[in-house]
Amino acid sequence: MSRAGVPVVVVAGFLGSGKTTLLNHLLREGGRAGSVGARIGVLVNDFGAVNIDAMLVAGQSDGAVSLANGCMCCSVDRDGLDAALSTLLRPSARIDVIVIEASGIAEPRALIRMVTGSDDPRIRYGGLVYVVDAALFARTRHEYPEIDLHIAVADLVVLNKIDLVEPAALDDIRMVLRELNPTAAQISVIDARVDPAMLFDPVAPDADAPDGSGDDAGPVQLTLDALLHDAGRRDSANQDRGTAHEDEHDHEDHHMPGVHGHRHLHDEFTSVEFASTAPMDPRRLARFLERPPVGCYRIKGVAHFDLPGHRQRHIVHGVGGFVEVRRDSWAGQARQTSIVAIGTGLDRDEVLIVLGAAVADDATADDEHGILHITRHLPAR
Ligand SMILES: Nc1nc2c(ncn2[C@@H]2O[C@H](COP(=O)(O)OP(=O)(O)OP(=O)(O)O)[C@@H](O)[C@H]2O)c(=O)[nH]1
C-alpha cells in the first residue's frame, strides 16, 4: 500500500455506542469550511439484513456504499471489500478519505487485516477509532470481556455518552481504558462530537501533516505504521499477561477451511427485521422499545405514524435499556417502518408478533395521548 493512498479509517465500537452518530458528525463537520475540508466516502456495515445505518447516514449520495446482511469481518471477503472500495474510489467521487463503520459486533482486528490486506494501491489504512458507550461500559465488559481486546487495538478511543455518567465514574472508566490501551489517544465526548482533524489530515495543497505516533501525550493524527506496530505489540503483551483473551477470535483461522474459529461476538448475536408500510401505533411501539423482548440488546429503525403533526420520519433507538427517538423528514423516501432488533437468544416469533401488534388500528386514532409515549424520548440535549 502506498502512503499516498486514500486513508481508510475504521470506526468500531459495541452495539449502540455511537458509531453512526460519529459518522454523521464527521460528514457534517468534515467538509465544512474552516474544518478539514475532506470529502468523505463511507462504507457502512450493519449486522441485520436491513441496513438501517445506511438510512441514517446523512446525504452524500455518491459517497456511501453499504454492505448489509451480516457482520463485515466474516460475511465480506477481501474481494467484496475491494469492490466496495473501488466504487468509492472512482475518480468522479473525488473522495479524500474513506470511513468504514463496522457493525457493533465486528472484530476490529479482522477489519484491520481486511483493509491492510487489500491489494488496491489507491488506499492505505488510516487507523481504528473505537467508540465506547460510557453508560454501558461496565455492563458490556462484564458480559463481553472480548471488548477489552477491541479497545486494545484502537488508535483513538472515543468515550461517548459522557452526559449519562457522573464525573467520578467517568474518571474510573478513563483509567480502565488507559490500562487497556496505554498508547491510544483518548477523548471524552457527547454525541460523538470528535474533531475530524483527529481522524484525518486537513485537505490543503500545502498540508504538512504531522506524523503522530499515537503516544499518550494527547490526541494525535492516526498513522498506519504506528498502528500496525502497536497492534502486534499489544497482542503479544496480552498473551504475556495471560489475560482472558486467549479465545479471541483469530480471523485468518476462521476463514480457513477445516480450522475452527474461536468465540466471536457475532456467533452469539442474531437479528430480527420487521418492515411494514402500514403506520404504527405509537403507544405500542414505545412499549416495545421500553420493554424489549428477552435477550434484546439493541433496537434501531425508522417508524411512521399517521397522526396529525407527527408524520415525520421517526428514528427509534433502544440500547441496553436506553430509549431515544429523533425526528427528521422522509426526504422523498417512501414512508415505511423498518426496525431491526439485535440480541442473544432472541425469539424471532415473539419480536414479530409484538411488532405486528404495534401496527396502527382503529384504536390508534382515538388514543390522543399515545404519541406522547414516543415524543417523551426525544432528546433534551
Ligand atoms: N445520551 C446520549 N446518547 C447518545 C450519544 N451519542 C449517541 N447517542 C445515542 O445512542 C443511540 C445509538 O447511537 P448510534 O450512533 O446509532 O450507535 P451505533 O454504534 O451506530 O449503533 P449500532 O450500529 O447499532 O452498533 C442513538 O439513540 C444516539 O442518539 C451521547 O453522547 N449521549
Side-chain angles (χ1 to χ4, degrees):
M1 282 185 311
S2 148
R3 290 286 302 154
V6 172
V8 177
V9 176
V10 177
V11 175
F14 196 64
L15 290 166
S17 52
K19 298 176 296 296
T20 306
T21 307
L22 173 60
L23 196 50
N24 274 322
H25 170 76
L26 294 175
L27 289 171
R28 273 193 306 270
E29 294 296 307
R32 257 188 10 177
S35 178
V36 287
R39 195 170 160 86
I40 304 167
V42 299
L43 209 156
V44 188
N45 171 234
D46 244 340
F47 180 60
V50 182
N51 204 338
I52 300 289
D53 285 356
M55 288 184 206
L56 302 184
V57 169
Q60 292 240 6
S61 55
D62 349 333
V65 172
S66 65
L67 291 169
N69 208 357
C71 181
M72 174 178 152
C73 65
C74 277
S75 67
V76 179
D77 61 13
R78 277 182 190 149
D79 289 348
L81 178 70
D82 282 348
L85 291 173
S86 273
T87 309
L88 295 175
L89 290 166
R90 68 192 186 284
S92 60
R94 293 181 290 108
I95 295 297
D96 301 306
V97 58
I98 292 173
V99 181
I100 297 181
E101 183 196 341
S103 88
I105 43 184
E107 288 294 328
R109 288 195 302 174
L111 296 167
I112 294 170
R113 287 188 195 133
M114 279 185 82
V115 177
T116 56
S118 167
D119 293 328
D120 196 322
R122 294 169 298 175
I123 63 155
R124 67 182 166 91
Y125 178 58
L128 180 87
V129 178
Y130 196 85
V131 185
V132 172
D133 181 332
L136 293 168
F137 181 63
R139 172 178 159 189
T140 311
R141 271 189 89 209
H142 177 72
E143 288 176 23
Y144 305 102
E146 43 281 77
I147 72 153
D148 283 4
L149 205 74
H150 299 181
I151 292 164
V153 296
D155 296 271
L156 173 65
V157 176
V158 176
L159 181 58
N160 190 35
K161 307 198 189 183
I162 60 168
D163 55 307
L164 298 177
V165 177
E166 294 300 324
L170 273 179
D171 286 342
D172 292 345
I173 297 174
R174 288 191 194 103
M175 220 153 64
V176 175
L177 291 173
R178 181 59 68 213
E179 277 167 17
L180 293 173
N181 188 332
T183 58
Q186 193 189 110
I187 49 167
S188 303
V189 286
I190 295 175
D191 286 331
R193 282 186 228 119
V194 177
D195 180 352
M198 291 185 70
L199 278 73
F200 33 83
D201 294 332
V203 175
D206 59 348
D208 185 18
D211 197 16
S213 59
D215 65 22
D216 57 359
V220 292
Q221 175 77 32
L222 304 180
T223 66
L224 168 65
D225 301 335
L227 173 99
L228 290 178
H229 179 69
D230 279 352
R233 199 155 47 79
R234 285 174 200 140
D235 283 358
S236 54
N238 281 326
Q239 278 160 17
D240 291 347
R241 285 204 298 269
T243 58
H245 308 308
E246 287 151 10
D247 63 351
E248 167 67 13
H249 172 79
D250 183 324
H251 201 74
E252 299 299 333
D253 288 356
H254 195 83
H255 284 283
M256 280 166 64
V259 178
H260 204 66
H262 299 289
R263 172 176 144 129
H264 192 179
L265 275 182
H266 57 208
D267 293 338
E268 292 176 40
F269 282 84
T270 51
S271 67
V272 181
E273 292 81 26
F274 170 85
S276 171
T277 51
M280 301 300 287
D281 179 284
R283 185 187 292 264
R284 283 176 252 147
L285 181 61
R287 197 179 305 136
F288 174 80
L289 295 167
E290 290 159 8
R291 278 180 264 156
V294 173
C296 184
Y297 182 90
R298 177 79 170 110
I299 299 167
K300 60 181 168 179
V302 294
H304 90 100
F305 304 108
D306 189 21
L307 296 166
H310 302 284
R311 295 198 171 88
Q312 309 93 316
R313 182 170 80 151
H314 286 69
I315 299 163
V316 296
H317 285 282
V319 184
F322 289 90
V323 178
E324 190 177 270
V325 176
R326 287 171 182 260
R327 310 206 263 205
D328 64 11
S329 123
W330 288 97
Q333 290 169 16
R335 290 168 180 226
Q336 163 159 336
T337 298
S338 300
I339 293 177
V340 174
I342 301 172
T344 51
L346 271 184
D347 181 337
R348 183 183 163 76
D349 292 341
E350 183 192 356
V351 172
L352 294 178
I353 288 169
V354 176
L355 281 171
V359 168
D361 53 22
D362 291 346
T364 305
D366 298 334
D367 182 8
E368 61 176 310
H369 299 304
I371 192 69
L372 296 178
H373 291 258
I374 286 290
T375 55
R376 72 179 179 202
H377 294 297
L378 290 167
R381 60 186 194 286

